[in-house]
Amino acid sequence: RREDGAPIVLRNHQTPNRLQTVEGNELDLNGLTRSDMGAYLCIASNGVPSPVSKRIMVHVHFHPLIKVHDQIVTTRLGATVTLICGVEASPKAVHFWNKQSKGTGQEEISINNPSGRVRLSEDSESLYSYVITLTINGVKESDLGNYTCGARNSYGTVRGAISLEKMSEPNVKTTTLPKPTENEYEER
């Protein structure tokens, strides 16, 4: 059985078979996908108390995949903004963020962060899934532009693009009304 309680998927036939437990001395897993990753428990029991178990980890290696949550993010100057990318990869990928330089068209390798306004973070969701974020405190005009989140493992490199744009300010039209004359006050 699987340690996390998920079903074991047997793909030996036309239709995959989903089972909570499989009996026998061997477990043949075919056509594995990333959802098959995890710990499997082989439990031996002969009716005498205290069965014995062995934990076996199954890893499925694959090319990284990036999921960009919002391709265009708008913000006000001075605000705090967080850019978010989801990454799936096995083996675990190296995650990175780049910002495209204005004028040169080249990407900077690291985020310019002398004041500590920029924070990078990575949170694990599963054996192969992570959320990587780039948080900018006190957004400046120079922070606006195109960002790239990326992931690299031994199977390849992938990137996702996010554009950080300034939120347009609402146009407020002011109208000056003429001052009422003395006669208008008397009529009211």
Side-chain angles (χ1 to χ4, degrees):
R1 67 180 174 85
R2 290 184 64 169
E3 188 175 66
D4 63 2
I8 295 172
V9 181
L10 300 178
R11 296 178 182 87
N12 301 339
H13 309 286
Q14 288 278 53
T15 311
N17 216 356
R18 296 177 176 278
L19 304 168
Q20 286 305 118
T21 60
V22 175
E23 290 193 26
N25 295 331
E26 293 180 5
L27 176 62
D28 290 324
L29 299 173
N30 298 302
L32 293 172
T33 68
R34 61 190 77 182
S35 64
D36 296 312
M37 289 176 66
Y40 288 72
L41 299 175
C42 176
I43 303 168
S45 176
N46 61 2
V48 178
S50 299
V52 177
S53 68
K54 177 74 175 169
R55 185 175 188 260
I56 301 165
M57 282 299 296
V58 173
H59 296 278
V60 178
H61 291 181
F62 56 92
H63 191 284
L65 169 74
I66 290 271
K67 296 177 185 175
V68 175
H69 291 257
D70 295 304
Q71 291 179 337
I72 299 172
V73 176
T74 56
T75 187
R76 288 192 169 89
L77 296 180
T80 296
V81 67
T82 301
L83 308 180
I84 304 170
C85 287
V87 177
E88 292 183 2
S90 180
K92 186 178 186 285
V94 174
H95 306 133
F96 58 90
W97 285 91
N98 292 329
K99 181 179 185 292
Q100 189 168 352
S101 301
K102 288 193 176 188
T104 64
Q106 296 175 341
E107 291 186 344
E108 298 172 3
I109 300 303
S110 63
I111 304 299
N112 187 11
N113 192 23
S115 63
R117 290 185 317 107
V118 179
R119 192 186 77 206
L120 306 171
S121 68
E122 169 186 301
D123 295 309
S124 174
E125 291 190 320
S126 72
L127 284 172
Y128 60 87
S129 180
Y130 297 85
V131 174
I132 60 173
T133 60
L134 171 71
T135 302
I136 305 170
N137 294 311
V139 173
K140 298 178 181 178
E141 191 79 36
S142 61
D143 295 323
L144 303 175
N146 297 318
Y147 288 80
T148 303
C149 57
R152 177 178 34 250
N153 71 8
S154 56
Y155 288 87
T157 302
V158 291
R159 291 176 175 82
I162 300 175
S163 178
L164 181 60
E165 300 176 359
K166 185 166 88 173
M167 186 179 291
S168 59
E169 299 295 328
N171 290 335
V172 178
K173 217 178 222 187
T174 57
T175 306
T176 306
L177 297 173
K179 288 185 177 181
T181 61
E182 286 184 34
N183 291 340
E184 287 178 301
Y185 281 122
E186 292 173 4
E187 293 173 6
R188 291 183 188 179

